[in-house]
């Protein structure tokens, strides 16, 4: 089975991305307006307060029908890499790489999820039978594990609706106050930055698009207890094309567990 360490590390990534986006949760003075209404105009960073800019960014991200997030998180055990596209239908496709463990591919069509680990991953997490598992299941996808606590938690990362919910409802950062930064550019997108510091010394910076919808396009975190990391967001509202593996290239998770015991 995949280790719980993998799942917890994936969760750290979400905390980095969603937790920072939730900073500055103080009440708005009403100037922010509706994110959709501001879709065709420039974000007025001079007149808006940091909290109003943050409010618009959260609303824009929550309204996205799809997005791609890519970056790294270092929680003290090495860097985790993520390159994952997802939509509000729980479809997703992409890869994750864990420090010292290997890499795996995730595919979900919204109903069924598939995970394909690489050889290094099988070898590192398969225990005594890791090497045999790597050879036995090389190039194949595991599926049928939605009810498994560990595997189910892993693929829940594909749920954009839950991701958005964390952003719009998380009140854990109410003591953090966002402060205005400066204009910049991220991956060709003109941005304006907001910065916040949590009670434990962690510093978060969010780069927000200033033209079109005010989507957060980069989140960075350093210090504190959450480690260091950077996550870029792109491909907002771009339809996903999901191609699931053929049946002969998959293995049922229940059968997999039986086979790995006798490998």
């Amino acid at each position: 089975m995949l280790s719980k360490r993998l799942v917890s590390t994936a969760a750290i990534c979400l905390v980095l991305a969603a937790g920072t986006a939730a900073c500055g949760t103080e009440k708005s003075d009403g100037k922010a307006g509706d994110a959709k209404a501001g879709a065709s105009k420039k974000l007025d960073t001079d007149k808006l307060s940091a909290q109003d800019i943050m409010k618009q960014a959260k609303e824009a991200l929550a309204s996205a029908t799809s997005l791609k997030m890519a970056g790294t998180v270092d929680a003290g055990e090495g860097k985790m890499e993520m390159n994952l596209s997802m939509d509000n239908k729980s479809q997703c496709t992409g890869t994750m790489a864990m420090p010292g463990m290997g890499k795996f591919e995730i595919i979900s069509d919204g109903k069924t999820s598939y995970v394909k680990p690489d050889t290094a991953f099988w070898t590192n997490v398969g225990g005594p039978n890791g090497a045999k598992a790597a050879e036995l299941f090389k190039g194949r996808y595991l599926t049928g594990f939605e009810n498994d606590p560990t595997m189910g938690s892993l693929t829940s990362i594909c749920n954009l609706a839950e991701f958005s919910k964390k952003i719009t409802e998380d009140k854990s950062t109410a003591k953090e106050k966002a402060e205005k930064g400066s204009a910049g550019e991220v991956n060709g997108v003109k941005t304006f930055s907001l910065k916040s510091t949590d009670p434990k010394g962690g510093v978060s910076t969010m780069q927000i698009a200033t033209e079109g919808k005010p989507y957060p396009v980069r989140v960075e975190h350093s210090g504190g207890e959450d480690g260091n990391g950077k996550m870029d967001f792109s491909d907002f509202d771009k339809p996903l094309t999901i191609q699931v593996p053929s049946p002969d290239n998959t293995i049922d998770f229940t059968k997999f567990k039986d086979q790995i015991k006798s490998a």
Side-chain angles (χ1 to χ4, degrees):
M1 290 178 60
L2 301 182
S3 73
K4 291 185 178 180
R5 172 171 170 260
L6 182 152
V7 179
S8 64
T9 307
I12 290 173
C13 175
L14 290 181
V15 170
L16 168 67
T20 306
C23 69
T25 54
E26 297 153 4
K27 292 183 179 179
S28 167
D29 59 9
K31 297 178 181 178
D34 184 86
K36 292 183 179 179
S40 62
K41 61 184 180 181
K42 187 174 182 180
L43 186 67
D44 195 339
T45 57
D46 291 330
K47 293 183 179 180
L48 293 173
S49 69
Q51 279 65 46
D52 285 330
I53 295 173
M54 181 63 71
K55 181 177 184 293
Q56 286 204 22
K58 289 168 61 177
E59 290 176 347
L61 188 55
S63 73
T65 58
S66 64
L67 59 81
K68 176 181 179 180
M69 56 181 179
T72 61
V73 178
D74 189 342
E77 298 181 353
K79 288 185 178 181
M80 182 196 78
E81 298 180 6
M82 171 183 282
N83 193 321
L84 190 66
S85 296
M86 65 180 75
D87 67 13
N88 56 5
K89 298 177 183 178
S90 292
Q91 296 187 128
C92 74
T93 180
T95 60
M96 293 179 68
M98 316 305 292
M101 296 176 71
K103 186 176 183 179
F104 56 95
E105 180 183 354
I106 300 176
I107 299 175
S108 176
D109 63 2
K111 295 180 180 180
T112 305
S113 299
Y114 306 85
V115 170
K116 182 174 73 172
D118 66 1
T119 299
F121 189 89
W122 279 126
T123 302
N124 285 313
V125 304
N129 294 324
K132 291 181 179 179
E135 185 60 32
L136 184 62
F137 306 115
K138 184 177 180 180
R140 300 179 72 182
Y141 292 83
L142 288 173
T143 190
F145 46 71
E146 283 75 11
N147 294 324
D148 180 82
T150 302
M151 294 291 289
S153 296
L154 172 62
T155 54
S156 67
I157 195 173
C158 293
N159 194 323
L160 179 58
E162 282 298 313
F163 179 77
S164 298
K165 185 177 179 180
K166 289 178 183 291
I167 295 170
T168 56
E169 295 184 359
D170 191 344
K171 305 299 181 183
S172 62
T173 52
K175 293 183 179 179
E176 300 178 23
K177 185 174 181 179
E179 299 178 352
K180 285 186 176 183
S182 58
E185 186 174 300
V186 174
N187 299 325
V189 177
K190 293 181 179 179
T191 63
F192 187 80
S193 65
L194 295 180
K195 180 179 178 181
S196 63
T197 302
D198 64 41
K200 297 181 180 180
V203 178
S204 299
T205 302
M206 177 183 288
Q207 300 286 347
I208 300 169
T210 56
E211 296 180 352
K213 282 191 176 183
Y215 288 121
V217 294
R218 175 170 290 172
V219 175
E220 297 177 87
H221 184 87
S222 62
E225 296 181 351
D226 294 329
N228 304 318
K230 180 176 72 174
M231 198 65 57
D232 284 356
F233 297 88
S234 62
D235 291 353
F236 293 98
D237 304 319
K238 181 179 180 180
L240 267 63
T241 300
I242 303 297
Q243 185 173 354
V244 300
S246 60
D248 60 354
N249 199 30
T250 64
I251 180 169
D252 183 84
F253 186 61
T254 302
K255 294 180 180 179
F256 153 72
K257 289 193 292 184
D258 292 337
Q259 286 183 264
I260 194 64
K261 289 179 182 178
S262 59

